Amino acid sequence: MNTPLFLKPLRVLLIFVMIFSTDYVKAQLIHRDLLQKASVNLNQLIIPQSRFKPFPQTPGGWKKVLPDSVIKKIIAKGEAALGKEFKNIPATVMLEFVRTGNRTNYESMCFTKRNQLWDLIMAEALEGRGRFADKIINGIWSISEESFWGISAHLTAQKAGAGLPDVEDPIVDLFAAETSTILAWADYLLGPQLDKVSKLVRPRIHYEIDRRVLKPMRTKKFDWMGGGNTEAKLNNWAPWITSNYIATVLLMEGDAATRREDIGRSLKILDQYMDGLGVDGGCDEGPSYWEAAGGCVYDALNLLYDATDGKLNIYNEPFVKQMATYIYKTHIADNYFVNVADAHPRLNLNSIMVYRFGKDVQSTPMAEFGSWVFHNFKETEEEKQFRRTRSLYDLLAIKACAASVAKENPLNDAWFSDVQLMLSRSENGLFVATHGGTNGESHNHNDVGDFMVYADGYPVIIDVGSGVYTARTFSKDRYTLWFNTSPYHNLPTINGQEQAAGLKFAANDVRYQADNKSSSLVMNIAKSYPGESDLKAWYRSVKMNKNQGIEIDDQYQTNILPKSLTQSFMTICDIDLSTPGKIVFSLPNQRNVYLNYDVMKWNISKERIELTTPEDQGFKSTWDGKTIWRLLLTSKLLKKEDSTRYYIYR
């Protein structure tokens, strides 16, 4: 599956860390309130804590649902963890974020400790002989002694700001919530074993979870909740944290009234997240964020279903099905998915979760796609290091997924009106995706009107993706990073002006059409550029002719004669520019893709992207060490009004 080196063991974090834009949270919600409407009598729906038993609590129970090979693998991982120590994290490692911008050293130590503990917990749960118990308690104790359960980059949310944690101002971030769930499941799965060693271990778990997560969630309005603004559009942090919070509440909160209040609070947060999505359930953060967004909504729905004996169930809601099926609809080929914003082009998908979600929303193509991924790709350990509740539900479904029909089910065409994303396939192996949208989206890149082309499942014209996250990634310096800017997407630069960031910098007059012969997206991208560009209009049409090729048509008007005009194309292919008016892209399968341009209008040059900064290093493995090229067309004939076509074909 070629997990990039810079993402080990940090891939999931690097994919899913939030960015809040002031413009972004002003977006209007669609008030569906699905969960709140389905839980009017919540007091009567939630079962007592003593009856909440979603997973086996004995080795014998697990043996009934798991293949022997899986049990052996889990126990082997626990045995490997037995020989490792739980390392303390020095304060100076946390301070690296404010001193040098480095966040990965802290994250590596933090996540490694939790992964080690989880491996031990699961091994003991499946074996039940007590040989992992002492080591588990060492891990619980070590994590309990930490000043902060989250990560250094998220301390900006505390009143004291980034640096070291203020233990008197606990904040709940992604990984504080994740940690609370690990300890809560340890209590559920191994309670008697822990008590045999010491009667003080489980009370310590309860105490730490209560002060670090449960009480802050009841008393504070964190930014990821909208900061108290119930009309704020939320991003993946909301379902990711809330799904962990629900698990923690159900397992740890013994008071029935408080438990109901906590669950009610969770339903409001989840509804607010879903209400911020458009009618098609599209994820503007891209497919690799979907697992932490719509996928985490599903994690919460699993828990709520079990905590109400199946009475709180919204799987039959059309919107939930739309939100779910986004993931298989945006698949290109192999493990490539349409990547927008900070999303990566490759995704090591959680196959069993996709299979389960497809089954629950009654989408046969999605369930078959999940099984196809299960049978064709090995999920990396890095992909399993978060969302432990999901991993438990996945264990229960391994046999069913393995036995299910496995089909890729690629779509010929798809259109997500809410995020203005189109994708289309031709009869001769070409694939194109393009989008309008705004430059005020979560994890935004300034890329309105960008497009990507694949041939035979191989990337030809690309969105390069995002680099390694550092302190600059989510700061005022975000758009000094080349890969976040429009000149390094497949877009024009006018009068030296690139696209600007913010909700108002957006596509308008967006029109999608499709039939059996072609599909197209037309949009005016002029408003995505600042006023200094002197643009009146820039209409871009991206059209797939099903039995021919791809046409990119640009028509523009400027207020004054432009001083400069360029068009960029990004690629990892070997390229031949020797024929005027034609770019030849060479594929690994010895076939070529061609792009024709008007040689009377454009000069062409190419530049190698040198990967020199800390943020750049991830691209070396994202694209398998291949050189990233920027092809630059420079206008020979500057006019106030003009049109041009780029034709891409086999």
Side-chain angles (χ1 to χ4, degrees), residues 72-88:
K72 290 177 181 178
K73 181 179 179 181
I74 292 173
I75 292 175
K77 288 175 65 178
E79 290 172 337
L82 274 174
K84 301 173 184 177
E85 294 302 316
F86 289 99
K87 296 180 180 180
N88 293 326

Side-chain angles (χ1 to χ4, degrees), residues 544-585:
M544 170 68 85
N545 291 301
K546 293 293 186 178
N547 58 1
Q548 297 177 29
I550 301 163
E551 298 171 4
I552 312 294
D553 286 295
D554 284 343
Q555 298 183 46
Y556 72 85
Q557 291 180 301
T558 60
N559 293 306
I560 60 174
L561 186 69
K563 296 178 181 179
S564 65
L565 177 61
T566 61
Q567 167 67 43
S568 300
F569 297 110
M570 307 298 295
T571 188
I572 59 167
C573 290
D574 292 334
I575 42 181
D576 181 355
L577 305 181
S578 60
T579 303
K582 180 179 290 187
I583 303 169
V584 182
F585 301 89

Side-chain angles (χ1 to χ4, degrees), residues 418-479:
D418 45 8
V419 292
Q420 297 179 351
L421 171 66
M422 176 194 98
L423 61 87
S424 184
R425 300 174 199 273
S426 74
E427 296 175 359
N428 62 353
L430 288 179
F431 172 95
V432 68
T434 185
H435 63 91
T438 83
N439 285 334
E441 296 170 338
S442 184
H443 289 263
N444 177 68
H445 288 198
N446 291 336
D447 61 356
V448 172
D450 189 28
F451 67 94
M452 64 190 71
V453 174
Y454 282 63
D456 303 329
Y458 188 80
V460 178
I461 297 175
I462 63 170
D463 182 318
V464 296
S466 67
V468 176
Y469 285 0
T470 69
R472 290 203 297 170
T473 308
F474 301 111
S475 73
K476 61 181 177 58
D477 297 321
R478 179 173 178 82
Y479 297 103

